[in-house]
Amino acid sequence: MSSPRYREVSRRKQAARAQAIRGSGVSDARPEGSDFEPYLRATAPEIVEHISRGEWTAAAVLEAYIARATEAQSLTNCLTEVLFAEASAAARQLDEEFASTGQIRGPLHGVPVSFKDQYDVAGVDTTVGLSAWANKPAARDAHVVALVRAAGGVPIAKTNVSQMMFFAECTNPIWGRTLNPHNKLYSSMGSSGGEAALLAMDGAALGWGSDIGGSLRMPASACGIFSLKPGWGRICMDGIQDPLRGFEGIRSVAGPMGRSVEDLEVAARVVFGKQGTEDAPAPLAYRDVVLPEKLKFGYYLSDGYIKPSPANQRAVLEAVDALRQAGHECVPFEVPQAVEAIECYMGLVAADGFKTLTADLGRDPVEPGISGTLLGPALPGWVRKTLAWALRRLFGDDVFARVTLATRPCSMQEYTQWVRRRDAYCRKFESEVWDKHGFDGVVSPVIGLPAMPHDSCRYLAPLAGSACLYNVLNTPVGVVPVTHVRPSDGATVEWTNPRVGSGHGSASIERLLYGFLDRNGRGKGGYYDAEKMAGIPVGVQVVGRKWEEEKVVEMMKVVDHALGPRAFGPFSWRR
């Protein structure tokens, strides 16, 4: 039975949030064409440029973003801790400094910035959706937050996450559910879903999330924004709270989210290589990179784990076509045994039966989206083996059977074997992809669906495995928005029948996604429904080699420029 404590914590936290919004004196965003529009159309570097010329003030910029953040909250429930009053005081101080000195404080001067609710901000809670973490305000800023402030950034709010930040929807018992700003029937995805929803609606000019299994990338794709997952070791994690703190089998990384590649670049320049007091990243500051005129990209439409939807595959093909027209070489290739990487991922993260992850859960109710994941290691061994047998014999699904068997508690000896298998897979990928083909970068789907319907993660949690591939590899990955789902993107026999077409993986998960073929030759009865999903954004991953984050940023610019003008970027969201 759940304790009523979480309900009381939730009531008080949500009431405080509402009061902080009311205290700002802003109830809604002004309509398009208002005085706010120029501020909302500007990227983070453009905001700084206008302020440095004396054309704008930090206070005026902030007013516009507070108004839009208020609207974003009312439509999507994306905010947790609201910092409008503190932000207003900080913006006024920046304006006073500029009036006195004629100099901006730094490269983020006057830029409204939001943070996923795992970044400590002095004076407010960091709950990650756990009642046990409430009413314990942080004594000081996380290192990234402090660096943002020192560069002139203005923290405006903290944003919602999935419970314990470990599943692909964005909902928890304290703050509730965050909706996709493009379709309320679908999730903003997780776990950085509050950030993605806020940024998609221009509620902040720059944001910060994290990624241990796609959490920067899935929300960015589903909400139509840009994000950058660095490899571990580029950004200091001091003051970035995590229920899995201390776990090193798969490293969680911090990363920027924004409405343009330029937003990500300025954010990375502020934090890369900056040393903290507890966590010491590589002392490697942001490096300027000059790309060759012609790049060689590898690409794939499916990693062979779960076949991505027609909309997700079309996004890759559109990006590849645009790159080819721009004069770049694009070569298809096969991912070497992606299921091996996903086995390693689940074997490592489930090694203690998720005891560390759930240690502070207390008597909070478990969200349906994570319940299936938590159940896996709790199954008796004979049940797990029987389930794997059934998947193989009854559904012909060796892929998910292997992942099911890997999701179990293990001994220290077994854990070290998983680490060795992880490292062996990384060497294999390096040899069979990067060394063999000489790619500059890779373009790929993010996961198999554009977005998940609410509460579907209880069945579709394995979808995140395709994103987890690059957490196992610890490589830098950016997300670039490409297109939107069209009603014509429906599944055909090549998706509903695992014996037809290429790229198939887990037969049981693909059946959940694509259902069966109706009399019109379209997939019905699955979670993927192009007609219902119409208008949801779809992005692609731009992947680089280890320690080549700066090159990934430049390749994202190449992809973005090749795709040309489209309905993404600042002030692109429409009601």
Side-chain angles (χ1 to χ4, degrees), residues 32-285:
E32 284 87 350
S34 75
D35 293 340
F36 284 173
E37 182 174 337
Y39 306 127
L40 300 176
R41 284 193 180 276
T43 64
E46 288 169 347
I47 289 172
V48 177
E49 181 66 21
H50 280 290
I51 293 175
S52 71
R53 292 175 180 171
E55 299 166 348
W56 294 354
T57 65
V61 171
L62 181 66
E63 183 184 5
Y65 282 89
I66 286 178
R68 189 51 76 94
T70 300
E71 183 181 21
Q73 167 59 22
S74 69
L75 293 179
T76 68
N77 189 44
C78 56
L79 304 182
T80 58
E81 305 292 341
V82 174
L83 309 172
F84 295 167
E86 299 91 329
S88 296
R92 288 193 299 270
Q93 183 179 18
L94 287 170
D95 288 337
E96 291 169 3
E97 284 182 18
F98 184 77
S100 174
T101 67
Q103 300 293 318
I104 59 172
R105 184 180 295 182
L108 294 176
H109 186 105
V111 174
V113 185
S114 53
F115 295 90
K116 183 178 182 177
D117 195 6
Q118 70 172 129
Y119 286 74
D120 281 347
V121 174
V124 298
D125 289 345
T126 301
T127 65
V128 301
L130 294 169
S131 66
W133 287 21
N135 305 315
K136 298 175 182 177
R140 60 182 179 272
D141 288 339
H143 192 60
V144 168
V145 177
L147 291 170
V148 167
R149 286 193 201 271
V154 181
I156 188 174
K158 296 176 71 173
T159 54
N160 203 23
V161 300
S162 56
Q163 187 180 36
M164 296 176 285
M165 303 186 300
F166 207 71
F167 67 103
E169 292 183 58
C170 188
T171 182
N172 62 74
I174 306 306
W175 299 106
R177 183 188 306 280
T178 300
L179 310 179
N180 189 302
H182 300 274
N183 189 324
K184 294 182 181 180
L185 298 177
Y186 290 84
S187 176
S188 61
M189 302 297 284
S191 61
S192 307
E195 273 301 309
L198 181 67
L199 288 160
M201 290 186 63
D202 304 299
L206 178 66
W208 286 89
S210 67
D211 196 313
I212 194 174
S215 294
L216 279 162
R217 292 164 285 151
M218 295 184 292
S221 178
C223 294
I225 65 166
F226 299 78
S227 70
L228 175 65
K229 181 199 84 67
W232 182 80
R234 294 305 302 271
I235 298 177
C236 175
M237 299 293 287
D238 281 5
I240 302 177
Q241 304 304 326
D242 190 341
L244 278 174
R245 193 75 170 177
F247 174 65
E248 298 182 353
I250 304 291
R251 305 299 292 259
S252 179
V253 296
M257 307 173 78
R259 301 169 300 158
S260 72
V261 184
E262 289 73 21
D263 295 338
L264 308 184
E265 180 182 351
V266 69
R269 287 182 181 276
V270 167
V271 302
F272 273 9
K274 302 295 177 61
Q275 302 297 297
T277 56
E278 299 174 14
D279 178 52
L284 190 60

Side-chain angles (χ1 to χ4, degrees), residues 10-20 22:
S10 175
R11 185 189 66 80
R12 291 183 178 180
K13 296 297 292 182
Q14 293 190 32
R17 176 181 61 189
Q19 179 58 41
R22 286 194 299 270

